[in-house]
Amino acid sequence: CSSDLTVGGAVAGAGEPTVDASGEVRGDTCHLDVADSSGMMISATPSGGWLQSSPTVPGLGFCLSTRGQMFWVEQGLANSLRPGARPRTTLTPSFALKDGKPWLAFGTPGGDFQDQWTLHFFLNVVHGGMNLQEAIDFPEFHTTHMPNSFYPRDAHPGHVLLEDRHDPEVVAELRRRGHIVTTGDGWSLGHVSAVAREDGWLRAAANPRGMQGYAVGR
């Protein structure tokens, strides 16, 4: 959107990953949100077309797309490979309306964790009464209970990962309830960014985790 006033929060990675001589892969999915003074908004999570994650199928001479690899070859499942089907996707750029008008655009990179991190952010804003930056900065967590969308589709039932900024009593209570809890660096989970238009103001917030995100206005 073009306007005399544009506010955006962008985050993460270098777009399409590149592979160096050692085979190391650099880069990640990106996410960006933009709003302008007329009320136009965009939330986008560009991801895909990574050749190193979509190898040529032996004997067939073509490769699956990055998202095509998320199909299951086992038949009878909702995500089974079949003609005309669309694979499940982890990409979840998000919008919220207030009083029927565009209010909030938000999202994050992060594979299967995207829905978890964006939900936590949204609840922090709507029910926690936090501003955008407070909601992003709040200690994050996610579960690896469900099978991963990407090969080898590993799953860790009951496993929860938390940033170590969570109250120790919360961690102890989760373990008491039977969760397998792992704590990590206090600023390591989630890369949510967001923009909002309310009360005549444009607002933006970016994630400090990884030092990859930023919010700008003009």
Side-chain angles (χ1 to χ4, degrees):
C1 304
S2 59
S3 173
D4 59 347
L5 180 60
T6 303
V7 178
V11 71
E16 181 176 339
T18 57
V19 183
D20 63 20
S22 69
E24 181 183 3
V25 178
R26 300 287 301 275
D28 195 357
T29 298
C30 300
H31 180 82
L32 61 91
D33 307 289
V34 181
D36 71 10
S37 58
S38 67
M40 298 291 289
M41 284 186 169
I42 183 172
S43 177
T45 313
S47 180
W50 303 343
L51 296 179
Q52 74 276 3
S53 62
S54 304
T56 300
V57 180
L60 298 179
F62 63 86
C63 58
L64 295 175
S65 69
T66 302
R67 297 298 154 182
Q69 67 169 300
M70 300 170 78
F71 278 118
W72 287 70
V73 294
E74 179 183 344
Q75 294 303 298
L77 305 176
N79 201 42
S80 295
L81 179 63
R82 62 193 185 279
R86 296 180 180 180
R88 65 185 266 191
T89 179
T90 62
L91 304 177
T92 53
S94 302
F95 283 103
L97 306 181
K98 180 180 286 188
D99 300 324
K101 298 180 180 179
W103 165 50
L104 180 66
F106 58 102
T108 177
D112 290 315
F113 307 136
Q114 291 183 36
D115 284 331
Q116 300 185 56
W117 296 337
T118 53
L119 176 61
H120 302 160
F121 163 80
F122 186 70
L123 294 177
N124 286 342
V125 173
V126 175
H127 295 294
M130 301 180 191
N131 64 42
L132 300 185
Q133 195 63 55
E134 289 173 330
I136 287 172
D137 291 351
F138 196 77
E140 188 56 273
F141 71 95
H142 65 247
T143 175
T144 55
H145 182 85
M146 295 294 292
N148 196 297
S149 292
F150 298 94
Y151 182 84
R153 307 186 190 279
D154 55 315
H156 306 276
H159 199 150
V160 180
L161 290 86
L162 295 91
E163 292 180 333
D164 61 15
R165 292 183 292 130
H166 282 274
D167 192 315
E169 293 185 2
V170 172
V171 177
E173 178 62 14
L174 287 170
R175 287 178 171 144
R176 188 192 69 79
R177 296 186 182 194
H179 294 280
I180 303 168
V181 179
T182 300
T183 57
D185 182 86
W187 297 90
S188 59
L189 303 180
H191 295 282
V192 174
S193 64
V195 295
R197 184 175 185 268
E198 56 185 353
D199 303 325
W201 291 89
L202 295 179
R203 310 179 189 277
N207 209 302
R209 297 168 178 86
M211 299 182 67
Q212 296 173 309
Y214 61 90
V216 296
R218 66 174 177 86

